[in-house]
Amino acid sequence: MKLKSKRRAATASILSLAVVLGVSSCSNDYTVAYLYMTTAKTLPHGLINGYQIDYQSGSLLPLDDSPIDAGGRNTVGLVVAPNSLYLYTVNHDDSDVVEFAIGTDGKLYPQNTYTITGSYATAAAIDAANKFLFVTFTYQNGPNNTELYTTANPGPGGITVFPINPASANASAPSENSLGAPVATVNVGRNPIGIVASPFNVPSGVSGCTAAGGCQEIFVIEQDPATTTSNLLGFLENPATGALTPLPGVTVNSGNVPSTGFASGPSPGGILANSTGSRLYVTDQSLDQVASYSVSSNGIPSPISGGTAATDSGPMGMAFDPSGRYLYVVAYSANTIDGYTLGSSGQPVRSTVSPTVATGTGPTCAATIGAPTNANPTHAIYLYTSNALSNNITAEQLNAQNGGLEEVQGAPFAGSTLPSCAVTVPAFPLR
């Protein structure tokens, strides 16, 4: 069972009904979710490993067609649409993103490839309304899309803003979740490496927000060696147009001049917002820490008092458990997952149950999956890490009562060469 490449709203409804009526024929009765892991293999293309997640054990079973072509060279990341029906890969060396439809059987079906407006894509995020895709890139382009900056002549990067087409019953309308032509290119500083779309709502009339109903927020982390204390940039998103306006306190300079943002360490490795956007978390690879921020009503992030916690060496990606009570940080150099509870102000406090759990070599990203509130409560919660240097996936079962982690039987699970990141997607009919 798969989704057609030119998916329409009416077709989607029919397919959804078919899934509900024929779950056992698709063998989804024992699959709580799917896991997708990208790899950074450069020739000919990166790959995507796909797995079924067993609801009873959390073990991973490779999909029949896994791995598949990620659609570009040096695939460094991926992002799932809020509706859990589409996935986009970020291809660094080809400076593009590739759209995939997620079938009812978990298989991925390539749809379209989209070129960004700069060179060397690094990360992507989708706003909560599923209206815009934001892709960070390393170097801005010059007139007529010529290379303005290169590795030989480094300079600032930017963000390409793509509109996402909604579902439509009109046969002549663009297909669901396809991307339109970029509506904006937003300049940032040098070496942007991560981006998050926060659901926090900044009221209309606040400085920089003119959108009716308020603005959402976009945060970017950079690794600019000339800016060792302010590598966190923030923008207000106009939810109608996708336009981004720097938050007060953020200065984006033209030319090869450092841009400045909010207080951060010199080498951010990962960024994560909580479910409401009221808290923001940033890891730093050189300081071996995770810092927490409180987002005020005007959208400005401020460090939480006592909200910086030590990590193991080389922290990168992070994930919350589904309840948002526990935070997990992967430490690339230490080959560990660090566990934290969250204090009353949102500050991370090292777990006393599972403060450090071993992973494979070089973990990069963490992803969790748990049963929705209306699902069978016997479905457990699982956490997975992509391990770049051991080419596999660590799998842990998460204790919802105390945040503790226990290795899933059969782990680690094999993957392709040089995994870069991983995400989880709920299985039909739960998604």
Side-chain angles (χ1 to χ4, degrees):
M1 299 174 66
K2 73 174 186 177
L3 302 180
K4 299 298 183 181
S5 60
K6 296 297 183 181
R7 184 185 190 134
R8 306 295 179 191
T11 305
S13 299
I14 294 170
L15 286 174
S16 297
L17 178 61
V19 171
V20 172
L21 296 176
V23 166
S24 28
S25 66
C26 292
S27 301
N28 278 340
D29 46 343
Y30 294 102
T31 299
V32 68
Y34 301 102
L35 183 143
Y36 303 102
M37 181 173 72
T38 53
T39 66
K41 181 181 177 182
T42 56
L43 293 175
H45 280 170
L47 297 172
I48 306 174
N49 291 112
Y51 306 85
Q52 294 173 294
I53 300 176
D54 184 273
Y55 88 99
Q56 289 180 314
S57 67
S59 61
L60 301 180
L61 177 66
L63 295 174
D64 291 341
D65 62 346
S66 179
I68 67 168
D69 192 323
R73 295 174 299 158
N74 196 4
T75 307
V76 294
L78 68 174
V79 60
V80 176
N83 61 16
S84 295
L85 299 177
Y86 294 86
L87 176 149
Y88 304 86
T89 59
V90 180
N91 300 306
H92 178 273
D93 292 4
D94 286 334
S95 303
D96 63 22
V97 295
V98 178
E99 169 200 0
F100 292 83
I102 303 174
T104 58
D105 53 4
K107 293 181 181 179
L108 299 179
Y109 300 93
Q111 306 296 291
N112 301 286
T113 299
Y114 308 93
T115 301
I116 64 173
T117 54
S119 299
Y120 302 137
T122 58
I126 298 175
D127 61 7
N130 197 35
K131 293 183 67 175
F132 297 97
L133 173 71
F134 303 89
V135 184
T136 53
F137 56 80
T138 307
Y139 302 126
Q140 298 171 17
N141 285 345
N144 301 317
N145 212 33
T146 57
E147 285 192 332
L148 183 62
Y149 299 102
T150 65
T151 52
N153 177 37
I159 308 168
T160 300
V161 183
F162 290 100
I164 300 175
N165 292 309
S168 174
N170 184 348
S172 63
S175 58
E176 179 184 1
N177 269 75
S178 62
L179 305 182
V183 294
T185 298
V186 181
N187 294 340
V188 296
R190 296 183 290 196
N191 202 24
I193 58 100
I195 185 169
V196 65
S198 169
F200 191 80
N201 188 68
V202 177
S204 180
V206 169
S207 178
C209 179
T210 59
C215 298
Q216 302 295 294
E217 291 194 285
I218 301 293
F219 291 99
V220 173
I221 50 173
E222 304 181 333
Q223 292 184 348
D224 187 340
T227 307
T228 59
T229 59
S230 55
N231 273 307
L232 172 62
L233 306 182
F235 301 85
L236 295 176
E237 176 206 351
N238 184 314
T241 66
L244 299 182
T245 302
L247 282 166
V250 173
T251 301
V252 177
N253 292 310
S254 60
N256 196 5
V257 178
S259 296
T260 57
F262 304 105
S264 70
S267 300
I271 184 168
L272 181 69
N274 68 354
S275 60
T276 63
S278 61
R279 300 288 185 269
L280 194 66
Y281 299 84
V282 177
T283 57
D284 192 272
Q285 293 175 290
S286 60
L287 298 179
D288 295 334
Q289 68 177 31
V290 54
S292 57
Y293 299 80
S294 176
V295 181
S296 65
S297 60
N298 61 3
I300 306 295
S302 301
I304 295 174
S305 177
T308 297
T311 67
D312 288 338
S313 179
M316 292 186 65
M318 295 171 283
F320 290 112
D321 76 301
S323 74
R325 293 186 296 166
Y326 308 110
L327 175 69
Y328 301 90
V329 177
V330 296
Y332 180 87
S333 301
N335 307 321
T336 59
I337 305 167
D338 297 338
Y340 301 84
T341 58
L342 298 179
S344 58
S345 298
Q347 72 274 22
V349 179
R350 198 67 171 252
S351 170
T352 58
V353 180
S354 291
T356 299
V357 173
T359 66
T361 309
T364 53
C365 285
T368 58
I369 191 71
T373 55
N374 62 344
N376 188 336
T378 61
H379 290 186
I381 302 170
Y382 304 106
L383 181 148
Y384 303 91
T385 71
S386 51
N387 303 314
L389 302 182
S390 54
N391 307 323
N392 58 14
I393 301 169
T394 295
E396 302 284 335
Q397 183 168 334
L398 193 154
N399 186 318
Q401 302 304 313
N402 60 23
L405 299 177
E406 181 177 348
E407 186 175 60
V408 167
Q409 186 174 1
F413 299 96
S416 298
T417 305
L418 295 178
S420 51
C421 205
V423 296
T424 55
V425 177
F428 275 118
L430 302 180
R431 65 184 173 102

